[in-house]
Amino acid sequence: MTPGLLLVISGPSGVGKGTICKALQTLDPTIYLSISMTTRPPREGEVEGREYYFTSEAHFRELLTRGQLLEWARVYDFYYGTPKKAVTEAQTAGRDVLLEIDVQGGLKVKENCPESILIFVLPPSLDELSRRLAYRNTENKDQVSVRLRWAEKELHCYKQYDYAIVNDRVENAVSKIQAIIAAEKCRPRYLEDLWPVP
Ligand code: 5GP
């Protein structure tokens, strides 16, 4: 069986990555949306094992030492990492995998898995991003300004990604990512198992 694609979706906080990933999974339920480990405390409404696996710093370090994370990064004072096993299993079963992770993590994934596909989601503008962050109401004023400063830093990295899309409307962003997935599946290397040439 041809292994599924490994897609990384990054972009500043508030750009709409989560909504885009959920929409992609609703349209194609075979897509595996990776659930990260984090040392960040849960926000109201977040459920263990749905948004994240919430864990202690000691346990996070233990997983790191045991090599169980595909990548990890420290973001806004907390640790975040992608559990390796679930990703490998899903890909082996032929499922496309989405990692919604930050830029540091995305670039590490590319280093370790050069065939991964990095997609950066851009806001229509920085003003629009700050409006979305304020509207989201999950952070206080100080946290919003930390996230905006971090966003400006992250935006500098978008040219290192394979693709960049502007999230003006969720439907547009989703159909662009579907087009990327379709195109990536036409690459000769993806078809090697189906069409082995001696
Ligand atoms: P939040 O705390 O708002 O859920 O996430 C903060 C940032 O951490 C977001 O940019 C999100 O994409 C990133 N993030 C979430 N999970 C992971 C992960 O497993 N690895 C890395 N490198 N970043 C992650």
Side-chain angles (χ1 to χ4, degrees), residues 17 36 40 43 52 71 73 80-82 100-102 105 147:
K17 292 165 293 184
S36 298
R40 160 168 87 58
R43 294 190 189 118
Y52 284 105
E71 62 72 41
Y80 294 81
T82 305
E100 187 205 319
I101 61 177
D102 89 315
R147 282 175 184 241

Side-chain angles (χ1 to χ4, degrees), residues 28-47:
D28 177 1
T30 68
I31 286 180
Y32 175 70
L33 190 50
S34 161
I35 301 163
S36 298
M37 285 274 165
T38 184
T39 60
R40 160 168 87 58
R43 294 190 189 118
E44 209 182 307
E46 285 184 330
V47 174

Side-chain angles (χ1 to χ4, degrees), residues 120-171:
F120 196 98
V121 184
L122 290 160
S125 66
L126 266 184
D127 280 352
E128 174 60 22
L129 184 70
S130 57
R131 261 195 301 277
R132 286 184 196 177
L133 266 177
Y135 177 76
R136 195 160 85 155
N137 226 358
T138 47
E139 291 88 15
N140 62 36
K141 261 197 170 147
D142 285 349
Q143 288 167 327
V144 168
S145 56
V146 168
R147 282 175 184 241
L148 270 176
R149 275 203 306 278
W150 192 282
E152 287 179 35
K153 232 168 59 184
E154 283 211 307
L155 286 164
H156 278 107
C157 298
Y158 88 87
K159 288 191 190 161
Q160 294 175 59
Y161 270 52
D162 299 309
Y163 297 94
I165 58 170
V166 176
N167 185 18
D168 47 359
R169 288 167 57 91
V170 174
E171 308 84 85

Side-chain angles (χ1 to χ4, degrees), residues 111-122:
E111 227 176 88
N112 298 335
C113 321
E115 72 290 351
S116 59
I117 301 141
L118 306 192
I119 304 174
F120 196 98
V121 184
L122 290 160

